[in-house]
Amino acid sequence: MRPNESGTAIPDKGTSNWRRFASRLGIDIRSGEWQPALLLFLCFFLLVTFQYSTKSVRQSAYVKGLGAANLPWVYLAVAIGSYPFLRLYSRYADRVQRHYLFVTTCGLISSSMVLFWWLFQFEWPWVPFALYVWMSIVYVMNISQFWSFSSHIFDPRQAKRLFGFIGAGGLLGGVAGGQLAGLVSNLVETRTNFLVAAFVLLLAAVLIFVIQRVHPVEAASVAGASGFESMEKAQGGLEIIKGSKQLQYIAGLMMLSVVVAQVVDIPFNWAVEDSTQDLDSATQFFGNFYSIMNAAAFVFQLFFTARFHRVLGVGVAMRVLPVTIALGTSAVLAAFYFAPRALLGAILGLKIGENGLRYSLDQSTRELLFLPVPSKARMKAKAYIDVFVQRGAKGIASLLLLPVTPAIGLISPPVLAGWLVFPLIVIWVIVAAKAYREYVRSFRQGLKRRSVDTEIPINMSDVSTLSLLVQALGSSDRRQVLQSLDLLSSNNRSNLVPPLLLYHEDPEVRQRTLEVLAQAGRVDALPLVERALADDDPDVRAEAIEVLAVLHGGDPCELMLPRLSEKDPGVRAAALACIANQCGDEMVAEATKTLADLMSDADSRVRAEGAKSLGAIYEPRFQERLIQLLYDRDTRVVQEAIASIRRRVARDGFNPLYVPTLVSLLRNRRVKHEVQQALVAFGEPAIPALTYFMGDADEQLWVRRALPMTISKIGTLAAATSLTDRLVEGRDDFQRRKLIIALGVLPKQIRYSVDPALLQGQIQVEAKRYLQTLADLRALGLGSKGHMNGPLVNWDSETLDPSLVDKLLGEKLETHLTNLFGLLAVRHSQKDVWAAYRSLASGNKALVNHALEYLDNTLSGEIRRLVFSVIDDRPLGEILHSAVGQFGVKAEGRVTTLARMLKGTDHPTTQENHLALATLYSVHTDRVEELYSQVKDLLNRKTDPFVDETAVWVAQRIGLVES
């Protein structure tokens, strides 16, 4: 789609009528996909034609020859006979390329059809039994090999779109196969079906060779999710399945599906046996029934399967078949008890629903579950599940049915089936839910590859124990040192603590050492304790004063007063803090003089000691002096003053007096980090003031932009409310980005409390802005300057160079995408969402597909629709065509787009002003005469100094005004 000047969407030349018609049918096949998709469609058509033409003969021969009541015996035989066949196949499959393996298998099966054509001329009772067992294995092998081959042709995103279309070919094949069986049985002998089927199968083999030739794909190129790498080395399917929960759940689903199908099959075959007379009539009945069943399934596959996967997702699709069988079984039981004449119709309806969905929606969905598994492991695991697990499930079904088969004469098969089906359905639904969670986890994994109790008595008479504790005092690990100090102190061995620990680099160790020395009365440590009065840490200083008072046995005030005159500013500051907190007014007056001397000293290190001492003084004393120090010319002094405020607030509680000054300091990048920590220490009481400053238009711009992260670190519900309110009201694009980041930093439980409706509204805003920017880029000629690499723009160096406007729009596009994912991360796993973002932005097709599949199965409802309107892997024209109707995006021409950017808004943001500047420059360089009048209008608007100045410069260059 391209826009005209009026904004009306015009279809692209490359978008043909047949493609739009196919899209309305739910067939989404894109450029380069038609040839392999059609060939696979035709190949699957032939395979299933073969299957249903022979299946009609197989069922009729067994039912008429051995009876429907004996079906459980053949189910058991199929289960037992599958294992040796699987072992042989597993060895052979590793040595042969996929397409050769498929062709060889088709050749062997065709030969067996000729053999059965010959055997059917004799009425030996074991022939229908052998045919049933052999064909049961053959059908599964053919279908398994076909889907394994197909899953290597397409990636997960393509498979989700195309498997429904390809599966529809099989459903048409079911219609054709059923009619073919009935037609051959009516015209010639029923056994001739085997020869016709052999020919059809050979045609399918030829098509596989053609597909491999036109679309060769090596298995090694297919990426799988992490966590499966060790499976590649597994020797067989069973070992692979044991190593993967995902494959175990798939196997469980297959087993439950087959068991339920076999249970449902008993009343169906009983009804056919009862309503037909001979082999030919039974074959024709089965053929017509299979045709009707597959026709209904074809319609469902064509119109609903792809939409099911795209709109409702894999999780819902997995539950459709079990729910349908439960409803159908309920209808059969109701007919049996209340409307016997409708019983046959109910049984046929149940079978049509069960088989139709099994070979359409359910099969396509089950194949999608295999996609996260690496290619080689996938091939073996599918073979094991499709052959052994499926056949084993028939064995389990036979074990369930054999005990109740003798009761068929007494109890009707529909009643027996109903007793067994409902418990199995419940288990099936539970396993489906777990399989879906594991499926999503696999894609998430793929995205990602991008102390001793001191109260316990210790034997201190043991020299080894004491030696270890003393050695631990010299450890570089503070935890070991603190633990040893506690153990020695609690066990009366403080005399072993060396006073030299007062030189330890960790302040907590120094403080704890002082406590231990005081408890032990270590007078020998007095000189080192005296030195601790000048310690860098205020808490250590305060502890040193207490220890000195204990060791000297005197009044701390009398002890500290003489130290106000010490030369060392650290000691003076320690004495000042002690006197201010503990002493009378006369002494406090002396301390105040000392503080004034410290604050007025020319040496910044002395002023810093004064600021540090204020942190140890209780509120509200000297608070005005502390605010005064926040304006000091030296950064170190300001940092110490901020740290003192932080200590005061943490100890004494909220003081609103400090907030305005601290907020103003956020513009200073040298102290911004310390200011944020101090404001966070104020806690929730500071949020109203911070919210006010965040939205104050008169506040300095960079201060407003720094406040969202500050509020977020407070981490309460009030903080979340403040951020979301501002997110809705604000206009500053840069602050909006900061607000979204801040919301993502909130604690998980707080993030998850944010109103989902509010987030959805903001995601819609970002999606619309992204799509409008994308439409603008296209209007300015994106196709001739670059291309879309996922949801972002790549500029092509070989073509025209992008203009400044193009580059700004490309950056704007990335900003909106980042904002959108930031909003998603508020309510979803941060790691997974950003891993998906990095994968989408990488341009690597395999990573992009993993990300899309993860998001497709994680998001739901309106949010999923909004996000995929931006990131979906549809062609650019389709995305913008949808955006016009969904978001009201303006699809305009180049001149109209530039005019809108030049005009801006009544209250333009910084980003809009930048675009206006770049647009002015483009008007000058590209001589866009249509916009000269608008440039002239800008001369009188006076909205932004930079825009005004640039408008004057451009007007002079293009001759609108004199220089």
Side-chain angles (χ1 to χ4, degrees):
M1 180 197 69
R2 61 183 174 83
N4 61 13
E5 285 300 317
S6 65
T8 305
I10 301 175
D12 288 332
K13 294 179 180 179
T15 305
S16 56
N17 292 330
W18 61 263
R19 194 184 189 289
R20 291 199 301 274
F21 176 73
S23 297
R24 291 191 185 101
L25 294 178
I27 302 172
D28 187 5
I29 305 178
R30 300 173 186 174
S31 177
E33 297 173 349
W34 276 102
Q35 190 176 46
L38 285 173
L39 288 171
L40 286 169
F41 175 94
L42 183 57
C43 181
F44 198 41
F45 169 83
L46 293 172
L47 282 177
V48 180
T49 299
F50 161 82
Q51 176 174 328
Y52 276 95
S53 64
T54 54
K55 188 174 184 179
S56 299
V57 180
R58 183 198 72 171
Q59 292 297 115
S60 61
Y62 193 94
V63 168
K64 286 302 180 183
L66 300 173
N70 290 314
L71 278 171
W73 292 105
V74 78
Y75 296 162
L76 187 61
V78 169
I80 295 172
S82 296
Y83 182 74
F85 180 84
L86 175 67
R87 297 294 295 178
L88 179 64
Y89 169 84
S90 184
R91 291 182 184 179
Y92 184 60
D94 276 342
R95 304 172 187 175
V96 184
Q97 295 182 33
R98 290 186 310 278
H99 57 291
Y100 285 127
L101 177 66
F102 190 95
V103 171
T104 303
T105 304
C106 288
L108 292 174
I109 295 171
S110 297
S111 300
S112 72
M113 293 298 95
V114 176
L115 175 62
F116 277 108
W117 170 79
W118 180 76
L119 289 173
F120 256 65
Q121 64 184 311
F122 310 107
E123 296 185 0
W124 296 332
W126 61 269
V127 174
F129 190 91
L131 175 67
Y132 200 108
V133 174
W134 170 242
M135 296 311 295
S136 296
I137 296 175
V138 162
Y139 296 153
V140 177
M141 283 303 305
N142 271 346
I143 301 302
S144 176
Q145 287 182 358
F146 173 81
W147 284 113
S148 180
F149 181 82
S150 301
S151 65
H152 290 84
I153 297 292
F154 301 118
D155 60 48
R157 295 299 295 175
Q158 291 174 313
K160 180 172 277 190
R161 288 187 287 104
L162 300 176
F163 274 9
F165 170 73
I166 294 168
L171 297 173
L172 280 181
V175 176
Q179 290 304 301
L180 182 63
L183 181 64
V184 171
S185 298
N186 189 39
L187 296 177
V188 292
E189 293 181 290
T190 297
R191 69 189 183 109
T192 309
N193 275 290
F194 295 123
L195 298 180
V196 177
F199 176 74
V200 170
L201 191 59
L202 290 175
L203 287 179
V206 172
L207 271 181
I208 288 293
F209 260 122
V210 174
I211 296 168
Q212 178 65 21
R213 184 176 181 83
V214 300
H215 197 86
V217 178
E218 293 300 323
S221 68
V222 182
S226 67
F228 288 98
E229 291 84 354
S230 61
M231 293 163 51
E232 298 283 8
K233 301 177 182 179
Q235 295 300 310
L238 180 59
E239 288 80 2
I240 295 173
I241 293 171
K242 285 180 179 178
S244 165
K245 282 188 177 180
Q246 183 180 356
L247 290 174
Q248 290 168 15
Y249 285 131
I250 296 174
L253 286 174
M254 174 65 83
M255 182 170 292
L256 287 163
S257 170
V258 172
V259 170
V260 172
Q262 298 306 110
V263 173
V264 170
D265 211 34
I266 293 296
F268 168 69
N269 283 279
W270 166 78
V272 175
E273 181 184 8
D274 191 56
S275 59
T276 57
Q277 297 177 350
D278 54 23
L279 177 62
D280 289 340
S281 63
T283 302
Q284 291 177 34
F285 183 94
F286 277 114
N288 290 328
F289 173 78
Y290 290 144
S291 293
I292 295 171
M293 178 192 73
N294 282 283
F298 173 77
V299 173
F300 187 92
Q301 181 82 344
L302 190 62
F303 289 98
F304 298 107
T305 295
R307 288 188 172 93
F308 239 97
H309 287 152
R310 186 171 62 250
V311 178
L312 298 178
V314 174
V316 175
M318 293 167 64
R319 297 172 174 86
V320 173
L321 180 58
V323 171
T324 300
I325 294 175
L327 294 175
T329 304
S330 300
V332 170
L333 291 176
F336 177 81
Y337 287 112
F338 304 110
R341 292 183 179 181
L343 180 59
L344 178 60
I347 292 174
L348 295 179
L350 170 61
K351 191 62 179 176
I352 288 174
E354 182 265 325
N355 255 13
L357 286 174
R358 180 181 305 281
Y359 294 113
S360 57
L361 178 65
D362 192 67
Q363 179 164 303
S364 298
T365 303
R366 192 166 57 248
E367 296 304 324
L368 290 173
L369 296 179
F370 281 102
L371 289 174
V373 183
S375 56
K376 186 177 179 182
R378 184 192 311 163
M379 187 96 173
K380 290 184 180 181
K382 274 182 62 62
Y384 192 91
I385 290 173
D386 289 345
V387 177
F388 182 69
V389 173
Q390 189 168 359
R391 300 309 100 186
K394 288 200 172 187
I396 293 174
S398 69
L399 295 177
L400 287 173
L401 292 169
L402 282 173
V404 300
T405 299
I408 288 179
L410 303 175
I411 304 175
S412 179
V415 178
L416 291 173
W419 289 347
L420 295 173
V421 163
F422 289 111
L424 292 171
I425 291 293
V426 173
I427 300 172
W428 188 349
V429 171
I430 293 172
V431 174
K434 293 185 177 181
Y436 175 67
R437 284 198 296 270
E438 193 63 27
Y439 172 75
V440 175
R441 190 199 67 81
S442 296
F443 280 102
R444 183 185 294 119
Q445 290 296 104
L447 290 174
K448 292 180 180 177
R449 290 188 315 255
R450 295 202 169 174
S451 96
V452 179
D453 189 352
T454 58
E455 297 301 320
I456 299 176
I458 296 178
N459 182 14
M460 288 296 175
S461 62
D462 182 17
V463 176
S464 298
T465 301
L466 285 175
S467 176
L468 287 172
L469 289 174
V470 174
Q471 288 178 17
L473 293 175
S475 173
S476 58
D477 186 345
R478 56 179 290 277
R479 291 172 301 179
Q480 289 189 31
V481 178
L482 290 171
Q483 191 175 73
S484 296
L485 285 170
D486 290 341
L487 287 170
L488 289 170
S489 175
S490 61
N491 287 278
N492 300 317
R493 289 292 188 272
S494 299
N495 59 306
L496 297 177
V497 174
L500 290 174
L501 278 178
L502 293 175
Y503 288 102
H504 197 279
E505 61 182 10
D506 185 77
E508 189 176 356
V509 170
R510 300 197 299 272
Q511 185 178 354
R512 182 66 181 123
T513 300
L514 285 168
E515 293 174 359
V516 172
L517 294 176
Q519 290 171 4
R522 295 283 297 277
V523 180
D524 60 306
L526 274 173
L528 291 179
V529 175
E530 293 270 1
R531 293 177 62 90
L533 290 174
D535 194 278
D536 289 336
D537 188 90
D539 293 328
V540 175
R541 292 181 183 181
E543 188 64 38
I545 293 171
E546 297 293 334
V547 173
L548 283 175
V550 170
L551 294 180
H552 280 294
D555 181 10
C557 293
E558 296 295 337
L559 189 64
M560 289 295 109
L561 186 60
R563 297 183 183 275
L564 291 175
S565 303
E566 289 274 354
K567 291 183 179 181
D568 189 326
V571 175
R572 289 156 61 195
L576 158 65
C578 177
I579 291 172
N581 286 333
Q582 301 184 35
C583 305
D585 292 340
E586 292 184 5
M587 290 188 178
V588 171
E590 292 296 322
T592 304
K593 293 178 183 178
T594 301
L595 176 60
D597 292 339
L598 290 172
M599 291 178 59
S600 60
D601 198 286
D603 190 342
S604 62
R605 290 173 296 181
V606 176
R607 299 199 302 277
E609 290 296 337
K612 192 182 295 183
S613 69
L614 292 175
I617 297 173
Y618 303 141
E619 286 284 0
R621 178 161 286 173
F622 297 146
Q623 60 182 3
E624 70 284 352
R625 301 296 182 98
L626 192 50
I627 293 174
Q628 181 182 343
L629 287 171
L630 291 174
Y631 295 98
D632 195 277
R633 61 183 180 275
D634 189 271
T635 301
R636 181 185 173 188
V637 177
V638 177
Q639 288 173 334
E640 291 295 349
I642 295 170
S644 291
I645 290 175
R646 184 179 175 186
R647 284 194 292 272
R648 281 189 170 213
V649 169
R651 182 186 61 235
D652 304 328
F654 176 66
N655 186 341
L657 190 64
Y658 299 122
V659 175
T661 305
L662 287 174
V663 167
S664 67
L665 286 175
L666 285 170
R667 74 187 71 182
N668 186 346
R669 295 190 176 186
R670 294 182 178 181
V671 298
K672 177 181 174 182
H673 178 68
E674 289 81 1
V675 170
Q676 282 186 321
Q677 288 182 320
L679 289 171
V680 171
F682 279 68
E684 192 167 303
I687 289 179
L690 299 180
T691 303
Y692 170 78
F693 287 118
M694 183 170 60
D696 184 8
D698 296 328
E699 184 57 71
Q700 206 268 347
L701 184 64
W702 289 102
V703 171
R704 299 203 310 269
R705 291 174 175 178
L707 282 170
M709 188 59 70
T710 306
I711 294 172
S712 174
K713 290 179 179 178
I714 295 176
T716 63
L717 285 172
T721 302
S722 170
L723 295 172
T724 52
D725 288 348
R726 183 60 190 164
L727 184 66
V728 174
E729 299 168 2
R731 287 191 48 80
D732 182 359
D733 292 326
F734 192 89
Q735 188 187 61
R736 179 178 177 83
R737 176 74 192 120
K738 294 290 186 180
L739 285 163
I740 293 172
I741 293 173
L743 283 170
V745 175
L746 287 168
K748 185 176 180 180
Q749 64 273 22
I750 302 298
R751 282 193 287 115
Y752 284 14
S753 69
V754 174
D755 183 8
L758 183 147
L759 286 177
Q760 179 178 309
Q762 293 305 305
I763 288 173
Q764 182 172 1
V765 169
E766 292 299 338
K768 181 177 180 179
R769 291 179 180 178
Y770 172 95
L771 292 167
Q772 183 61 67
T773 305
L774 189 61
D776 293 343
L777 272 168
R778 196 177 192 214
L780 298 181
L782 171 63
S784 61
K785 304 171 187 177
H787 64 279
M788 295 301 296
N789 190 3
L792 299 177
V793 178
N794 268 13
W795 302 112
D796 299 327
S797 57
E798 290 109 12
T799 57
L800 294 174
D801 290 332
S803 67
L804 183 58
V805 176
D806 294 325
K807 291 180 179 178
L808 286 175
L809 286 174
E811 292 175 4
K812 188 179 178 185
L813 200 72
E814 185 174 359
T815 298
H816 293 316
L817 184 68
T818 306
N819 285 349
L820 188 149
F821 273 81
L823 290 165
L824 280 181
V826 175
R827 296 278 300 188
H828 295 84
S829 167
Q830 294 263 337
K831 290 183 179 179
D832 295 337
V833 167
W834 289 116
Y837 174 84
R838 289 190 295 272
S839 295
L840 288 172
S842 70
N844 182 295
K845 188 175 181 181
L847 292 177
V848 168
N849 285 324
H850 268 296
L852 289 171
E853 193 65 15
Y854 163 71
L855 293 169
D856 197 8
N857 288 281
T858 301
L859 306 179
S860 60
E862 181 66 11
I863 287 180
R864 179 182 175 277
R865 186 179 70 87
L866 291 171
V867 172
F868 270 84
S869 68
V870 169
I871 67 171
D872 202 1
D873 54 349
R874 292 177 295 163
L876 178 59
E878 290 187 18
I879 290 176
L880 292 179
H881 179 74
S882 300
V884 172
Q886 184 178 352
F887 295 98
V889 167
K890 299 176 182 177
E892 303 166 324
R894 179 172 181 269
V895 173
T896 308
T897 300
L898 290 173
R900 175 164 42 81
M901 294 178 186
L902 204 56
K903 182 180 179 181
T905 61
D906 294 333
H907 302 284
T909 65
T910 304
Q911 197 171 48
E912 288 170 335
N913 282 332
H914 289 167
L915 273 174
L917 291 169
T919 304
L920 280 168
Y921 185 71
S922 290
V923 171
H924 163 57
T925 56
D926 299 342
R927 293 291 188 260
V928 187
E929 296 182 2
E930 297 92 334
L931 298 180
Y932 283 3
S933 60
Q934 197 162 333
V935 173
K936 195 170 183 179
D937 292 340
L938 277 176
L939 300 177
N940 302 317
R941 286 183 61 185
K942 306 299 181 185
T943 55
D944 179 82
F946 295 106
V947 174
D948 298 340
E949 185 178 344
T950 306
V952 171
W953 184 87
V954 170
Q956 291 173 348
R957 295 301 182 279
I958 61 180
L960 294 179
V961 296
E962 295 183 0
S963 302

